[in-house]
Amino acid sequence: MSAITGIYHLQQQPLDPGLGRHLMQELQRYPADESRSWEDSGVYFGCHAQWITPESLNETLPFYDAKRRLAITADAIIDNREELFGQLQVPYEDRTTIPDSLLILLAYAKWGEQTPVHLVGDFAFMIWDEHRRILFGARDFSGNRTLYFHRSGGLFSFCTVIHPLLGMPGADRKLNEQWTSEFLAIQVRTDVTDGFSTVYQAIEQLPPAHSISVSGERITFSRYCTLQAPRTLRLGSNAEYEEAFREIFGQAVRDRLRTHLAAGANLSGGLDSGSVVSFAAGELRRRGKPLHTFSSYPVDGFTDFNIGRRVADERPYIRETIKHVGNIEPSFLNFPERSFYTELDEWLDILEMPYKFIENSYWLKGIFEQAQQQGIGVLLSGQRGNWSVSWGPALDYQAKLIRDFRWIAFYHENKQYNRTMQADRRKVLQIVGRKAFPSLAALLPAGKTEPLPELINPGFARRTEVQQRLRAFQLDRPPSAQTIYDIRRNHFEQPNIWNVNGTVATKLSLKYRVWDRDPTNDLRVIRFCLSVPEGQYVQNGVDRSLIRRAMKGMLPDEVRMNRKRRGVQGADGVYRMIPHWATFQNELREMIKDPQTSSYLNSAELAGCLERIGSEPAPNLMFSTDFRLLTRGLVFHRFLRRLS
């Protein structure tokens, strides 16, 4: 709920008082309810606080506990408060008022450096243990809150955002070429594999699921959480799995509604956000409050191009959810004057680094602005739902049954799928066969495809040896060369994959004073979902079976059982750029010719991309590889110019 910062003198010498003031002054660009600082010999803590939860009202941060000789500054909302109350023996009369920062401090007094293992929520914090002369901190398991640091000249300084640290002694704006090479070489939305690095050579970050200890001149890191499949949950019937799902997911939603402000939610036409909204609206009805929803739709005049089973305008499904669930005050937004191009510079200001989520940028930012205007404190989302609550790919499951030699089960699932989807049996078998053995399928003539153009300059790639690093994380291969189960396992085991989402969530929350909260990313929910047998997720040919069954009566069947149409947001991105198309193309030509940019970007490939997209803004360019590379290159080009 805050931007936190601090300095620790590695030789525990007195600090220059101007350094702490500099850090806090740099945070003044963000709205805050209060700004405070605390210092001791060789230690400085600051907090630019945004009061979001009821317990945070008038919370003192940084806070020094004289009895325990512990100081804390924290950016945190803890969700498993009830569990912690019992474990920490918090008196009943204090449980409704104790702030999350004090709860973390009590946890540290009990568990020390094992504290983050016991926390569920979104957090980044630093604790000064005066007795042990140790600075200790941690970041939540998926990195929903950021924590950067800089070390030089005998000082260790940290902050929620990057720009204050660039003014510290020894820091500069030199580009980190290792980070840059990975960012440009990775073709999916993951930014980099090295969770410690940032775009600046002088600035590091604490990776998700890690803690840090600083004692004297010794700095150590520890990964405290690795998400792997737990023991398989064995229940007696479908109904028991459905009830268990509703219980744990409902709790995650309720915990994320904790705010003294209004509560909101992103709402698309799909299962994930619809399920979040259904639980949230029901809970708020019991509290006598409405749920505010925010839904984006295409700009007027845009007509869907051929995007298969995808639909750009999800309003018919959204309206069905609103009507069925009730207790919702909806906002339908299309931001007609905006495009990725108009918002590019402001996104670079917000994120402090290049980014890849071009098609979502204008409406995502617009929704946060609208939420701020409506006094929203928490904005629920379901971003991780595809990998947790709504897991269950039907054809991939059939492929898994083949790999496991479960022929009877495969025959049943394949037959039911073809019948319910009215699918061509031969085409389905071809798809399933390739999914069953993706590495072999890629070797077959029919499986060969032309290599995708690359954004990174080949010479820069060789010099930084980026492909060797990506190979260790299996990011040198296209997703089609892996099974979806391998991709899901990596998604949870490798913390770098989710880091970019936390970066966006943290920095949007600071700018707009609205916290993104995702129940589908709750640690308890994910562990439950990983324990559920695969046969619960796909049944009788139906994908995402568990959530479809569990939400019966809570979502309209038009949404709950919709298997043929899925929403795709941002499809009108090129159409929105018609007024700026000539300017956009001229800037691309300048980018390709720019000698500094060309030392990082593959100018020859980008010139080919520019030629292929042509001079007319055809709407179907939005999801083409050529347009994706050009726009990502342009974002990097703009960022590079800022450094100069």
Side-chain angles (χ1 to χ4, degrees):
M1 298 177 295
S2 312
I4 61 172
T5 191
I7 313 169
Y8 173 63
H9 200 295
L10 298 177
Q11 286 87 37
Q12 301 182 19
Q13 299 296 316
L15 294 170
D16 178 351
L19 295 178
R21 287 197 299 269
H22 156 76
L23 292 173
M24 293 299 289
Q25 287 169 359
E26 286 295 308
L27 295 177
Q28 294 302 311
R29 68 177 66 180
Y30 304 114
D33 293 293
E34 187 176 62
S35 290
R36 290 176 178 264
S37 61
W38 170 90
E39 56 186 310
D40 195 6
S41 177
V43 183
Y44 175 92
F45 279 180
C47 182
H48 195 67
Q50 297 177 342
W51 295 337
I52 303 296
T53 67
E55 299 82 10
S56 68
L57 294 171
N58 301 308
E59 177 182 18
T60 299
L61 274 176
F63 175 74
Y64 177 69
D65 184 332
K67 177 182 177 181
R68 297 176 177 84
R69 298 173 64 189
L70 299 173
I72 185 171
T73 188
D75 173 28
I77 296 182
I78 301 302
D79 294 316
N80 63 328
R81 286 169 58 91
E82 291 298 325
E83 177 186 22
L84 293 172
F85 289 156
Q87 293 173 332
L88 300 173
Q89 298 181 332
V90 176
Y92 285 98
E93 61 270 21
D94 295 337
R95 295 183 178 187
T96 58
T97 58
I98 185 171
D100 292 332
S101 58
L102 183 52
L103 207 53
I104 295 171
L105 203 66
L106 294 177
Y108 179 82
K110 179 178 179 67
W111 294 304
E113 296 183 14
Q114 289 299 303
T115 293
V117 175
H118 299 270
L119 304 179
V120 175
D122 304 339
F123 59 82
F125 64 85
M126 295 295 288
I127 291 173
W128 170 239
D129 187 331
E130 185 179 21
H131 176 71
R132 299 174 60 206
R133 311 300 293 179
I134 288 177
L135 187 68
F136 175 78
R139 189 177 173 197
D140 66 76
F141 86 100
S142 65
N144 278 316
R145 308 305 292 178
T146 51
L147 190 61
Y148 302 99
F149 61 91
H150 169 69
R151 41 183 169 176
S152 68
L155 299 178
F156 174 90
S157 50
F158 65 88
C159 192
T160 302
V161 286
I162 293 175
H163 65 270
L165 299 176
L166 293 172
M168 295 299 289
D172 58 37
R173 295 177 179 269
K174 183 179 179 181
L175 198 68
N176 183 340
E177 291 197 340
Q178 297 292 312
W179 189 97
T180 301
S181 65
E182 291 192 8
F183 177 84
L184 297 176
I186 296 173
Q187 300 203 10
V188 294
R189 290 192 186 183
T190 302
D191 47 13
V192 296
T193 65
D194 180 7
F196 289 92
S197 66
T198 76
V199 68
Y200 295 103
Q201 187 69 43
I203 309 299
E204 301 170 81
Q205 68 176 318
L206 186 64
H210 280 69
S211 63
I212 181 172
S213 297
V214 186
S215 178
E217 296 189 4
R218 184 183 180 190
I219 302 175
T220 57
F221 304 93
S222 176
R223 180 170 179 176
Y224 65 83
C225 176
T226 300
L227 274 174
Q228 296 176 330
R231 179 178 298 178
T232 301
L233 178 66
R234 300 296 182 189
L235 299 178
S237 65
N238 279 353
E240 290 184 25
Y241 284 105
E242 294 155 19
E243 180 59 32
F245 171 86
R246 286 190 292 266
E247 181 179 349
I248 196 164
F249 188 53
Q251 184 65 53
V253 174
R254 290 192 296 273
D255 288 340
R256 282 162 176 75
L257 289 171
R258 188 162 57 96
T259 180
H260 69 91
L261 301 163
N266 285 285
L267 179 59
S268 69
L271 268 175
D272 298 341
S273 66
S275 298
V276 170
V277 162
S278 179
F279 276 103
E283 175 62 24
L284 289 173
R285 182 184 289 110
R286 288 186 283 274
R287 302 180 190 180
K289 299 178 180 180
L291 177 68
H292 302 263
T293 61
F294 301 87
S295 307
S296 67
Y297 67 96
V299 68
D300 296 341
F302 171 75
T303 303
D304 272 10
F305 51 89
N306 182 17
I307 46 180
R309 293 181 174 178
R310 298 280 186 162
V311 291
D313 189 348
E314 300 181 74
R315 282 179 292 177
Y317 297 104
I318 295 170
R319 290 189 179 110
E320 289 292 336
T321 295
I322 292 170
K323 178 182 176 181
H324 184 91
V325 171
N327 194 40
I328 291 174
E329 294 187 4
S331 295
F332 290 91
L333 309 162
N334 71 348
F335 313 109
E337 305 301 321
R338 300 188 183 198
S339 69
F340 111 86
Y341 196 57
T342 63
E343 308 301 297
L344 199 161
D345 279 327
E346 191 162 1
W347 265 111
L348 289 175
D349 284 337
I350 293 170
L351 291 181
E352 311 176 285
M353 64 185 69
Y355 60 94
K356 297 179 179 179
F357 50 93
I358 305 300
E359 62 271 22
N360 298 329
S361 58
Y362 57 88
W363 63 261
L364 180 62
K365 177 173 165 290
I367 282 177
F368 268 80
E369 291 176 357
Q370 290 294 315
Q372 180 189 44
Q373 292 173 17
Q374 295 188 31
I376 303 299
V378 294
L379 185 66
L380 304 186
S381 67
Q383 296 180 67
R384 210 168 194 175
N386 287 341
W387 303 102
S388 58
V389 298
S390 65
W391 174 250
L395 298 184
D396 295 272
Y397 180 61
Q398 292 179 35
K400 185 176 187 301
L401 293 175
I402 290 176
R403 289 194 302 272
D404 294 343
F405 302 104
R406 297 174 60 190
W407 302 112
I408 296 176
F410 163 72
Y411 174 80
H412 172 76
E413 288 293 334
N414 181 259
K415 180 180 178 180
Q416 291 293 97
Y417 178 87
N418 293 336
R419 183 180 65 81
T420 57
M421 295 294 288
Q422 298 178 330
D424 184 296
R425 178 176 175 271
R426 182 174 297 179
K427 289 183 179 179
V428 169
L429 284 175
Q430 289 176 345
I431 295 171
V432 171
R434 292 187 178 279
K435 288 179 176 292
F437 306 103
S439 57
L440 294 178
L443 300 176
L444 299 175
K448 290 184 177 179
T449 58
E450 290 295 321
L452 293 174
E454 294 186 346
L455 180 60
I456 189 170
N457 179 298
F460 180 52
R462 287 191 297 271
R463 178 164 61 82
T464 56
E465 299 181 336
V466 64
Q467 293 300 334
Q468 292 90 317
R469 298 199 305 279
L470 298 188
R471 195 169 298 126
F473 288 84
Q474 299 182 345
L475 285 170
D476 62 327
R477 299 187 297 162
S480 59
Q482 307 173 61
T483 73
I484 195 69
Y485 297 96
D486 293 333
I487 295 172
R488 187 193 192 209
R489 185 183 64 253
N490 292 337
H491 179 88
F492 287 119
E493 290 183 0
Q494 298 177 8
N496 63 292
I497 290 177
W498 204 241
N499 186 59
V500 63
N501 294 68
T503 301
V504 173
T506 299
K507 295 180 181 181
L508 283 175
S509 77
L510 290 178
K511 181 174 177 62
Y512 297 110
R513 200 173 178 269
V514 176
W515 266 55
D516 174 273
R517 308 241 50 218
D518 184 2
T520 68
N521 190 46
D522 184 286
L523 188 56
R524 298 162 296 187
V525 168
I526 290 174
R527 284 176 170 151
F528 169 81
C529 291
L530 290 176
S531 74
V532 170
E534 289 295 332
Q536 282 294 315
Y537 288 118
V538 181
Q539 283 190 8
N540 299 320
V542 177
D543 67 329
R544 306 198 285 174
S545 175
L546 178 57
I547 192 172
R548 294 187 196 277
R549 302 189 325 262
M551 295 305 295
K552 185 175 182 179
M554 298 183 67
L555 281 179
D557 285 350
E558 293 86 345
V559 173
R560 184 178 69 90
M561 297 308 295
N562 173 29
R563 300 171 59 198
K564 294 189 175 182
R565 307 291 279 176
R566 296 189 69 177
V568 56
Q569 293 165 316
D572 60 340
V574 171
Y575 183 83
R576 290 172 175 271
M577 292 180 61
I578 290 176
H580 315 287
W581 194 254
T583 304
F584 170 64
Q585 291 210 312
N586 286 334
E587 187 172 1
L588 290 176
R589 294 186 187 99
E590 294 174 4
M591 172 188 75
I592 291 169
K593 294 177 182 178
D594 182 88
Q596 183 187 22
T597 303
S598 295
S599 64
Y600 298 102
L601 300 186
N602 191 341
S603 295
E605 286 278 20
L606 291 174
C609 293
L610 183 57
E611 182 178 356
R612 285 189 292 273
I613 70 171
S615 58
E616 297 297 325
N620 61 355
L621 290 173
M622 188 61 211
F623 301 115
S624 70
T625 299
D626 291 333
F627 186 75
R628 172 172 56 83
L629 291 185
L630 287 167
T631 52
R632 288 184 181 181
L634 183 59
V635 170
F636 179 76
H637 173 65
R638 288 267 191 104
F639 180 81
L640 204 58
R641 285 196 309 182
R642 289 172 168 235
L643 291 184
S644 303

